[in-house]
């Protein structure tokens, strides 16, 4: 869960917006697919090493993997058990559609929160290990989940 307002929210891994066999494709688009997202085991190993080092060094304050439901569901999970009033403001720019960014179930992604003074040290760990990291937002105290200009919802409705 997010633990402190103003912490940075960082996405580890490469978001490819894969909707094949996703919850979104099944429930919203009413389509079925036998194609599953690709898994890069070498990248997965580096991702786990990065998260472990971040936790051991006290840099990562919270972490959640991106799986069923994609990035949106992972962020909501981080908000659901957070203290009252916590919110998240996300800005993510990719050559993907908004639904692909929100609900793509790309494998090998983790969302972490990091204090401002620890961000540069954590970025150094990511670069050393070879894991893409993108700071995508901040934890807020406005009790809202905001994603680009497409989502702006009170936490109570999540």
């Amino acid at each position: 869960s997010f633990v402190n307002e103003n912490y940075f929210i960082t996405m580890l891994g490469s978001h490819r917006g894969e909707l094949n066999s996703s919850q979104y494709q099944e429930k919203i688009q009413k389509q079925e697919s036998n194609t599953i997202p690709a898994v890069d085991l070498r990248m997965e190993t580096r991702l786990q090493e990065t998260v472990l080092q971040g936790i051991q060094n006290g840099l990562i304050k919270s972490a959640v993997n991106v799986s069923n439901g994609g990035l949106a569901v992972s962020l909501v999970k981080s908000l659901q058990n957070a203290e009252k009033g916590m919110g998240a403001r996300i800005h993510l720019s990719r050559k993907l559609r908004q639904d692909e960014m929100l609900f793509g179930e790309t494998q090998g992604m983790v969302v972490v929160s990091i204090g401002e003074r620890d961000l540069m040290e954590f970025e150094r760990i990511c670069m050393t290990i070879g894991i893409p990291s993108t700071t995508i937002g901040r934890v807020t105290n406005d009790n809202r989940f905001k994603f680009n200009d497409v989502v702006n919802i009170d936490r109570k409705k999540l």
Side-chain angles (χ1 to χ4, degrees):
S1 299
F2 294 138
V3 294
N4 197 336
E5 70 176 280
N6 292 322
Y7 279 2
F8 284 97
I9 301 169
T10 299
M11 181 178 68
L12 304 176
S14 298
H15 198 341
R16 296 180 301 275
E18 296 167 294
L19 292 175
N20 284 330
S21 299
S22 68
Q23 295 290 313
Y24 178 79
Q25 186 183 50
E26 181 183 325
K27 307 256 189 254
I28 304 299
Q29 295 178 330
K30 307 290 187 203
Q31 297 175 3
E32 289 188 27
S33 173
N34 292 328
T35 307
I36 59 172
V39 177
D40 181 340
L41 294 178
R42 281 184 276 163
M43 184 64 80
E44 186 69 34
T45 300
R46 292 196 308 257
L47 175 68
Q48 297 305 319
E49 183 180 342
T50 302
V51 173
L52 182 60
Q53 278 193 32
I55 291 169
Q56 288 175 336
N57 291 323
L59 305 174
I60 292 178
K61 307 306 180 192
S62 70
V64 63
N65 71 313
V66 176
S67 60
N68 288 346
L71 185 59
V73 171
S74 297
L75 291 163
V76 167
K77 284 179 185 178
S78 292
L79 283 171
Q80 283 181 325
N81 296 317
E83 289 187 31
K84 189 175 183 178
M86 293 284 169
R89 181 182 64 244
I90 307 298
H91 179 76
L92 181 59
S93 178
R94 291 279 188 276
K95 290 182 180 179
L96 299 171
R97 297 187 321 256
Q98 296 291 337
D99 62 340
E100 291 172 327
M101 283 191 285
L102 281 163
F103 304 110
E105 295 179 6
T106 300
Q107 299 298 301
M109 288 188 359
V110 174
V111 174
V112 299
S113 64
I114 301 165
E116 187 168 354
R117 71 171 198 235
D118 297 327
L119 189 60
M120 293 304 290
E121 176 65 17
F122 185 70
E123 290 291 328
R124 185 192 63 74
I125 290 170
C126 292
M127 288 189 314
T128 300
I129 294 173
I131 283 294
S133 67
T134 307
T135 299
I136 61 172
R138 288 194 96 147
V139 179
T140 64
N141 66 350
D142 64 359
N143 210 46
R144 302 195 70 75
F145 173 53
K146 299 174 185 174
F147 189 95
N148 293 345
D149 294 328
V150 297
V151 175
N152 186 345
I153 189 167
D154 191 288
R155 230 179 90 180
K156 294 174 192 166
K157 296 182 180 181
L158 298 176

